Amino acid sequence: MLAGTVLALPGSAAHAADTLISQGRTVTSSSVENGGTPAAAAVDGNTGTRWSSAASDQQWLQVDLGASASISKVVLQWEAAYGKAYQIQTSADGATWTTVYSTTTGAGGTETLNVTGSGRYVRMNGITRGTGYGYSLWEFQVFGSTTGGGTGCGTANAAQGKAATSSSTENGGTAAGNAVDGNTGTRWASAAADPQWLQVDLGTEQQLCQVQLNWEAAYGKAYQIQTSNDGTNWSTVYSTTTGTGGNETLNVNGSGRYVRMYGTQRGTGYGYSLWEFAVHTGGTSVPPVQGGGDLGPNVLVFDPSTPNIQAKVDEVFTKQESNQFGTERYALLFKPGTYSNINAQIGFYTSIAGLGLNPDDTTFNGDVTVDAGWFNGNATQNFWRSAENLHLKPVSGTDRWAVSQAAPFRRMHVEGGLNLAPASYGWASGGYIADSKIDGQVGNYSQQQWYTRDSSIGGFSNGVWNQTFSGVQGAPAQGFPDPPYTTLDTTPISQEKPFLYLDGSDYKVFVPAKRTNARGVSWGNGAPQGASLPLNQFYVVKPGATAATINQALAQGLNLLFTPGVYHVDQTINITRPDTVVLGLGLATVIPDNGVTAIKVADVDGVKVSGLLLDAGTVNSPALLQVGEAGPGASHAADPIVIQDVFVRVGGVTAGKATNGMVINANNTVVDHTWIWRADHGAGVGWESNRSDYGFVVGGNDVLATGLFVEHFNKYDVWWKGNGGRTIFFQNEKAYDAPNQAAIQNGSTRGYAAYKVDDAVNTHEGWGLGSYCYFNVDPTIIMDHGFEVPVKAGVKLHDILVNSLGGNGQFAHVVNNTGAPTSGTSTTPSNVVSFP
C-alpha cells in the first residue's frame, strides 16, 4: 500500500490521444449499498446513476476492459460520499495488481488523474472514506488505447435480419423477428412468466464482442447472454441479477453461431420485451476455462489393489489429528470394491468417501473412526471432517464417530452399531447423520445434542439435552423433555447432497432428486433418483486458482468442483446460473482477502452449494455467504436452492471479521446442516478482535433449516425476518467473551436472543431448539431469554431449552417471558414443551 506516494498528478493536461475505453464494460465491486446503486452504474455514461459501496473501508470498483490496454487517464466523478485515501490499480489477470496512482488527500468532486500503466483490469481501491457513508461514483472513466491483437469490435449489427426464435410471444404482433429487424418501433414480447428466451441464428460461428439490449418498459432484471454452436448446448458469456432496463450495452467475450438472451427474473409484472437485440462481432478472444481434468494434489484415490492403504491413511491422520487451524486439506476417495483390515482414522479437514453410485458399492471390512485421544478424551473440538457413501462392517460390531459440529455422516451404511462418544466417554457436543442406514443401535451416550435426518436406525440409546429426529425409521418416540427426544415422522423437504462417483472410469457428480415428506434413506431401491453430470461440465478448482478464473468458469456455464485447499479470493464468487452445482472436497476453504462477500448466489432456481468452509478475512466482509437479494424475490418451491455442509468461521485462524455469517434472502431455500461459528478459541479471538454481529440472517420466505448450528455471535445468532420459516434442530452457545452486562444490552432487554424471530413475521415454526450460556469473562451476566418471538397464532416453537454451563451466567426465561430461569452450577436445562 503506497499511502501518500503520488505516482501521477491529477489535473494536468490531458493526453492528446485519450479515448474512453471503459464505458459499458463489465464491472464488479466489493459491495453495493443497495440494489439501486450497482457497480454497472459507474460505467454506463449516465451521470444520474451511481455505484455506492457498503459503509466500510477497503472497498473497490473494478472494470474489465476486455483486452489489455495502455492506460493514460482515469476520471473519478464522485458523489458526496468520496474516497479520501485510495489507489488506482491495473492488472493483467484480475489477481495481481500494480498501483499506478495513490493518494491520501482525495477531495471528492471530479478528479482527473493522468497515469501511466497497462492492463486489462483497472480498479479504484478505496482505503479510507471521506465521509461516514461508503464510496460513491457517478462515473468511473478509464482512457487509453487497447494493445491486444484483436480486430476490434465491429459496428455492424450481425443479428439484424437473421432468423430469430423465442420461448413464447405475448401475441401475434410481438414476434421474435421484431427484435432483429432494425426497427425500434417494433418489438418482441414474451409471456408473463419466468424463464423466457430470445434467440438469433447468425448463420455461422462468429467471435462476439458486444451485445446491445434495447428494452421496452418490460425488461429483464436477471438474465444471461448465452452462445451456442448447435442451438442446444449453451455457454454463458454475460450474467446479471441487477438489470435496469433501458439501453444496455454489454461487452462480452465468446463465440458461437447462436446467441440468446435467457431471462430468469422479470423486472415488472409483464413479460420480457425488446425493441432491438443487437449483436456485434470481432474483438479479441479470452481463452475459455476448460472443464474436467485431474482432481489435484490433495485427493488420494484408492482401489482394492492399492498397496499400503492403511499406511497412507495413517500418514494423513498423523498430520491432521490435532491440526485444528492448519492449512492442509485432504479427500480420501475409495473406488467401488471391498477393502479388508482397514481402520481409517479421520482428523481435521479430512473427508473420506466411496466412489460408488450407492454406499454398498464400496465396502470396508473395518472402520472409519473418530476418537478424541488428541484432546484427552474430550470430543467437543472434533470439528471439520466428514464421511460419506461407504458400507462399513466394523471389526468390533460397532463403529465410533465421536464428533461435534461440522462433521457430517452422510449416505453411510453401517452393518452394526454406531457409537457417538469417545472411548473415554468424555464430553461431545453434537453432530449430524443424514441418508444413512445403521443396522444396529446408535449409542448417544455423552452427546449433548444430535440431529438425525431421513435415515434408518436399529435403535437409539440415551440422551443428554436435545436429540432430534426427522424422517427416521426406527427413531425413538417423541418424549421431550424426558427423555429429551424430538421426533418428526417425516422431513418436509429434503434433497441429498451432490457427490462425486465413478461411472466406469469416468468421474461424474450425482445430484439427488428433491423429496417431500421424506422418511428413510434415498438409496437402496434400484437406481437412485436424480441427475448425473459429467466432470467436463465442472471447472475443477485447484490450489492457486483465482476468483477471476472461477467467475469466468461460472460465466461460461460451468459448475465448480473445489479440490481440497485454501482459496483466497479478491472478488466475490458470483453464482448466477440456475441449477449450478458447487461442490467442495476435503473441507475446501474460501477466504475473502479484501472485505468482499466470499460467495453470492443469485435469486435463481436450483443452485446447489455444498462441502465448503468459508473463513473470514481480516478486512470486514458484509457476509461470507449471501443467497438472493434483499426485497421480494421469486418462488423456488419447485426447484429450491440448497445449501449443505457449508460452514462459516469468523476467527480461530486469524482475527477475521464479518458483519453477518450467512444471509439467506432467496425464498424456498433449504439450508441442510451448517455450523456458523464465531470462534471462542484459537488465534485472533476477542470481543472486538473477531467481531461478527449476526450469524444466520433470513430475509426470504419459506426457508427451511435442517440441522442449524450457530454459535458465539456478538448480537443475534439467528435473526429470522421472512415468513413461513421452519427450523428442525437448533444448537447454540452464546458468545463466551462478552466483557460485561452492558456489552450485550439490547435496548431494555438483557442480552440479544440466540434465536430472534422478527416482530413483523406472522408464520414460523421450530422443533428441537437449544441455547446455552457460558459467560466465562463475566459469570454474573443474565440473559432475559434465549428465544424471542412475536406472540402470534402462526408462530410456534416446540421442545425448546436453555442451559447455563456450570453457572457461568444465567437465563431468566426460555422464550420471551415464559419458562423457568436457570440457576446454580448444576448445568440443568430449563425446558418449554410448546410455545405459545
Side-chain angles (χ1 to χ4, degrees), residues 109-470:
T110 297
E111 295 185 281
T112 300
L113 316 173
N114 293 306
V115 300
T116 300
S118 63
R120 172 175 171 170
Y121 302 88
V122 183
R123 75 175 175 183
M124 186 288 298
N125 185 38
I127 300 165
T128 305
R129 293 163 290 148
T131 71
Y133 299 96
Y135 298 82
S136 184
L137 283 163
W138 295 112
E139 284 294 295
F140 177 51
Q141 297 178 319
V142 178
F143 293 82
S145 59
T146 58
T147 58
T151 59
C153 196
T155 58
N157 178 6
Q160 189 167 320
K162 296 296 196 300
T165 54
S166 62
S167 53
S168 66
T169 56
E170 182 182 10
N171 55 57
T174 57
N178 290 350
V180 294
D181 62 0
N183 183 352
T184 55
T186 62
R187 64 187 176 94
W188 163 72
S190 77
D194 293 311
Q196 301 289 336
W197 51 263
L198 176 75
Q199 169 182 322
V200 61
D201 178 358
L202 301 180
T204 60
E205 181 182 353
Q206 300 191 44
Q207 180 67 39
L208 310 184
C209 55
Q210 191 179 82
V211 171
Q212 292 175 312
L213 303 176
N214 183 357
W215 294 102
E216 193 249 359
Y219 66 96
K221 180 181 179 183
Y223 63 86
Q224 299 155 20
I225 302 300
Q226 299 177 323
T227 65
S228 173
N229 283 326
D230 58 10
T232 301
N233 299 297
W234 295 90
S235 297
T236 299
V237 296
Y238 176 84
S239 183
T240 185
T241 59
T242 56
T244 56
N247 288 297
E248 293 187 282
T249 299
L250 315 174
N251 294 298
V252 300
N253 284 291
S255 62
R257 172 177 172 172
Y258 302 89
V259 185
R260 74 175 178 182
M261 185 287 300
Y262 185 81
T264 56
Q265 184 181 351
R266 291 162 289 143
T268 71
Y270 299 96
Y272 299 81
S273 184
L274 283 164
W275 295 112
E276 282 295 296
F277 178 49
V279 176
H280 298 279
T281 59
T284 57
S285 175
V286 176
V289 176
Q290 298 300 311
D294 66 84
L295 297 177
N298 301 322
V299 176
L300 282 66
V301 180
F302 303 92
D303 65 45
S305 66
T306 302
N308 302 317
I309 293 175
Q310 187 67 56
K312 292 177 182 177
V313 170
D314 287 345
E315 180 183 351
V316 173
F317 178 67
T318 299
K319 293 177 182 177
Q320 299 303 99
E321 180 183 13
S322 59
N323 192 14
Q324 185 171 180
F325 296 112
T327 57
E328 293 80 8
R329 305 285 187 269
Y330 294 97
L332 311 177
L333 304 183
F334 289 79
K335 295 181 180 181
T338 299
Y339 300 78
S340 297
N341 302 314
I342 296 291
N343 179 21
Q345 299 185 83
I346 305 302
F348 284 100
Y349 312 111
T350 305
S351 297
I352 187 169
L355 287 170
L357 189 56
N358 286 292
D360 289 340
D361 294 341
T362 309
T363 297
F364 275 22
N365 290 313
D367 297 75
V368 171
T369 302
V370 177
D371 206 345
W374 75 278
F375 201 48
N376 299 316
N378 180 346
T380 58
Q381 292 185 23
N382 279 351
F383 313 138
W384 303 307
R385 63 199 74 198
S386 68
E388 298 183 48
N389 207 32
L390 290 167
H391 176 201
L392 307 181
K393 295 182 178 181
V395 171
S396 69
T398 299
D399 193 62
R400 186 180 303 280
W401 187 255
V403 299
S404 288
Q405 293 85 353
F409 195 82
R410 286 185 180 272
R411 201 176 174 82
M412 296 287 286
H413 180 194
V414 180
E415 197 170 321
L418 185 66
N419 189 331
L420 304 180
S424 65
Y425 292 92
W427 294 339
S429 185
Y432 172 92
I433 296 171
D435 202 27
S436 293
K437 187 174 186 289
I438 318 298
D439 294 352
Q441 181 169 266
V442 178
N444 183 76
Y445 303 112
S446 57
Q447 278 289 351
Q448 295 161 356
Q449 61 276 313
W450 195 275
Y451 176 52
T452 307
R453 178 183 64 71
D454 297 355
S455 294
S456 173
I457 62 176
F460 195 90
S461 70
N462 194 40
V464 181
W465 298 327
N466 178 19
Q467 278 68 40
T468 301
F469 310 83
S470 68

Side-chain angles (χ1 to χ4, degrees), residues 731-757:
Q731 184 269 329
N732 165 263
E733 287 180 345
K734 292 301 300 175
Y736 293 171
D737 55 350
N740 48 52
Q741 187 77 50
I744 62 166
Q745 193 68 18
N746 182 12
S748 61
T749 302
R750 291 178 295 180
Y752 286 82
Y755 192 103
K756 163 71 173 177
V757 179

Side-chain angles (χ1 to χ4, degrees), residues 21-29 39 42-43 60-67 71 74 89-91 94 97 119-124 140-142 251:
I21 56 176
S22 58
Q23 191 163 308
R25 294 287 180 179
T26 300
V27 66
T28 54
S29 62
V43 295
W60 50 263
L61 178 77
Q62 170 182 321
V63 62
D64 177 358
L65 302 175
I71 313 302
V74 173
Q89 299 177 314
T90 64
S91 173
W97 294 89
R120 172 175 171 170
Y121 302 88
V122 183
R123 75 175 175 183
M124 186 288 298
F140 177 51
Q141 297 178 319
V142 178
N251 294 298

Side-chain angles (χ1 to χ4, degrees), residues 684-714:
V685 172
W687 184 248
E688 295 296 340
S689 300
N690 63 324
R691 181 87 192 184
S692 191
D693 285 347
Y694 307 107
F696 185 66
V697 181
V698 180
N701 294 328
D702 302 308
V703 171
L704 172 65
T706 52
L708 180 59
F709 299 76
V710 189
E711 297 188 297
H712 307 310
F713 286 81
N714 294 78

